[in-house]
């Protein structure tokens, strides 16, 4: 198993604990307002189709794993059977702890160290995350525009949506600049810390390797012009499968005679992406997913209970895949990454 990460400062540990406790409290409050009986009825409606939901979410992991394969620097080779379990394992640890990306990404890299060096693994992960982030920003921005254009939303939700839209558009510009290699945030940050004599000695010792890694990541698209389009299509496929999963779940939860819409499924998927980005520090997005989905389904379908139940079904799906990820980690028996490779 991977060695535990260095113990974070007390203030950060308190912040992580507060995030987990706050999410749990919001989760309990939302369930209480909705009613456990209502959620239980929703689960019964889903029934055996939960297997279909699991398969759709598994396909989502598969397309991102394939994108990671394409983002690996030639001639180093990763296969889908390498990246798929690595992605699920990293996602499992990221969901279970408030550390999120700080745990999930190193876990993915450590998982494939028998195939490529740690440096190559981290580079491929960083490139794939860059393309993924670009599509996430586009989906969130598109969903916000569609919501404001198609529905009469409450003033508070409208203000929050406009704020999210502005943030995502700015984020999209930055992500595009990173993809085409116009920005070097790591190099800029290291130079600034060095100028102010604030950079730790260990970081400065690895500065050259880190800058080389940054350069390889941000020039990937220029050096391999045939790769960006298929990677982007795979990342978009991830979101399409997410919309399909949401559509299937909502179709089962809605009363007989009421059908879901693709627009509604897209909007619910876009807010789910936003919650995953904004509340990554909350384990399994406890509470915030239920609350956010409930607010949106109240606007879309006149029922906040629908959104809460949808989010709880999503939690059950997440728990299954988290369990599978933990099993992969146990079978893999990961050794501690050798940080000298970075």
């Amino acid at each position: 198993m991977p060695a535990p990460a260095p113990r974070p400062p007390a203030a950060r540990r308190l912040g992580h604990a507060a995030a987990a406790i706050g999410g749990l409290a919001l989760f309990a409050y939302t369930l209480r307002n909705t009613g456990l009986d209502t959620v239980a009825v929703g689960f019964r409606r889903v029934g055996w189709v939960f297997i279909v939901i699991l398969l759709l979410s598994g396909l989502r992991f598969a397309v991102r794993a394939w994108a990671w394969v394409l983002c690996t620097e030639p001639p180093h080779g990763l296969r889908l059977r390498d990246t798929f379990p690595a992605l699920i394992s990293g996602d499992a640890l990221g969901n279970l702890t408030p550390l999120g990306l700080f745990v999930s990404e190193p876990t993915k890299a450590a998982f494939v160290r028998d195939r490529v060096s740690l440096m190559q693994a981290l580079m491929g992960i960083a490139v794939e995350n860059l393309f993924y982030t670009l599509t996430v920003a586009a989906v969130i921005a598109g969903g916000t525009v569609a919501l404001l254009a198609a529905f009469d939303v409450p003033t508070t939700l409208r203000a929050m949506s406009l704020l999210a839209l502005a943030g995502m558009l700015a984020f999209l510009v930055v992500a595009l600049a990173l993809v085409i290699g116009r920005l070097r945030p790591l190099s800029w940050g290291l130079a600034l810390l060095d100028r102010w004599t604030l950079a730790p000695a260990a970081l400065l010792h690895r500065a050259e390797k880190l800058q080389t890694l940054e350069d390889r990541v941000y020039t990937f698209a220029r050096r391999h012009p045939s790769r960006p389009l298929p990677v982007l299509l795979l990342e978009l496929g991830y979101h399409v499968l997410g919309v399909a999963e949401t559509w299937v779940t909502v179709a089962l939860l809605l009363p007989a005679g009421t059908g879901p819409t693709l627009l509604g499924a897209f909007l619910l998927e876009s807010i789910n992406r936003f919650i995953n980005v904004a509340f990554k520090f909350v384990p399994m997005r406890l509470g915030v997913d239920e609350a956010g989905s409930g607010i949106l389904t109240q606007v879309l379908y006149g029922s906040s209970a629908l959104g809460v139940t949808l989010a709880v079904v999503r939690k059950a799906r997440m728990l299954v895949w988290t369990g599978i990820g933990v099993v992969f980690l146990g079978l893999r028996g990961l050794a501690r990454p050798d940080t000298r490779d970075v």
Side-chain angles (χ1 to χ4, degrees):
M1 294 291 292
R7 191 173 176 82
R12 191 182 302 171
R13 295 201 305 272
L14 286 174
H16 293 163
I21 294 169
L24 188 59
L26 182 59
F27 180 70
Y29 173 79
T30 307
L31 280 186
R32 181 184 175 188
N33 274 8
T34 303
L36 288 174
D37 290 343
T38 302
V39 175
V41 168
F43 259 98
R44 284 197 293 270
R45 285 180 181 169
V46 171
W48 65 268
V49 185
F50 186 68
I51 297 173
V52 176
I53 294 170
L54 282 177
L55 290 174
L56 285 170
S57 58
L59 284 174
R60 299 180 78 188
F61 280 119
V63 295
R64 281 201 69 186
W66 190 2
W68 178 8
V69 170
L70 295 180
C71 290
T72 304
E73 187 80 35
H76 306 282
L78 284 176
R79 304 157 298 184
L80 189 59
R81 68 186 187 202
D82 302 316
T83 57
F84 182 72
L87 195 68
I88 293 173
S89 300
D91 188 72
L93 291 187
N95 285 332
L96 291 173
T97 70
L99 297 174
L101 294 175
F102 296 104
V103 170
S104 63
E105 307 314 292
T107 299
K108 295 176 192 176
F111 204 101
V112 298
R113 282 202 67 214
D114 61 330
R115 293 287 303 173
V116 296
S117 69
L118 187 61
M119 174 75 90
Q120 291 297 331
L122 289 172
M123 195 207 78
I125 291 167
V127 172
E128 191 275 329
N129 273 322
L130 203 53
F131 283 102
Y132 170 70
T133 300
L134 191 63
T135 59
V136 166
V139 165
I140 294 173
T144 305
V145 169
L147 176 65
L148 295 175
F151 296 91
D152 183 18
V153 298
T155 304
T156 303
L157 182 56
R158 179 173 291 273
M160 291 173 59
S161 298
L162 288 172
L163 186 62
L165 178 61
M168 283 304 106
L169 289 176
F171 194 71
L172 195 58
V173 171
V174 173
L176 277 170
L178 290 173
V179 166
I180 62 177
R182 297 296 182 187
L183 290 181
R184 292 289 190 279
L186 180 59
S187 298
W188 179 82
L190 283 173
L192 192 63
L193 288 173
D194 189 30
R195 190 180 310 136
W196 291 350
T197 65
L198 294 174
L203 187 61
L204 289 177
H205 178 69
R206 293 190 174 93
E208 186 176 347
K209 287 186 176 181
L210 289 172
Q211 287 169 347
T212 300
L213 175 62
E214 181 183 43
D215 182 69
R216 302 292 287 178
V217 168
Y218 296 142
T219 60
F220 182 86
R222 291 208 304 267
R223 289 183 289 107
H224 306 286
S226 64
R227 298 289 181 93
L229 181 58
V231 171
L232 278 173
L233 289 175
L234 286 168
E235 302 292 5
L236 288 172
Y238 174 87
H239 300 297
V240 170
L241 288 166
V243 172
E245 180 190 326
T246 301
W247 189 93
V248 169
T249 309
V250 171
L252 295 167
L253 297 176
L254 282 172
T258 307
T261 63
L262 283 177
L263 176 59
F266 171 68
L267 292 175
L268 285 164
E269 174 61 16
S270 68
I271 196 171
N272 181 242
R273 289 302 94 206
F274 175 75
I275 288 169
N276 272 271
V277 170
F279 297 96
K280 189 70 175 174
F281 58 92
V282 179
M284 298 190 74
R285 267 57 70 202
L286 269 175
V288 289
D289 191 9
E290 287 73 18
S293 298
I295 291 171
L296 185 55
T297 54
Q298 180 65 45
V299 173
L300 298 178
Y301 300 104
S303 169
S304 61
L306 172 64
V308 174
T309 309
L310 168 67
V312 173
V313 171
R314 204 151 42 208
K315 287 286 184 302
R317 177 261 287 163
M318 192 184 299
L319 282 171
V320 172
W321 282 108
T322 297
I324 293 171
V326 172
V327 170
F328 278 142
L329 282 171
L331 293 175
R332 185 69 175 82
L334 288 176
R336 181 177 182 174
D338 185 356
T339 54
R340 291 175 300 176
D341 289 349
V342 179

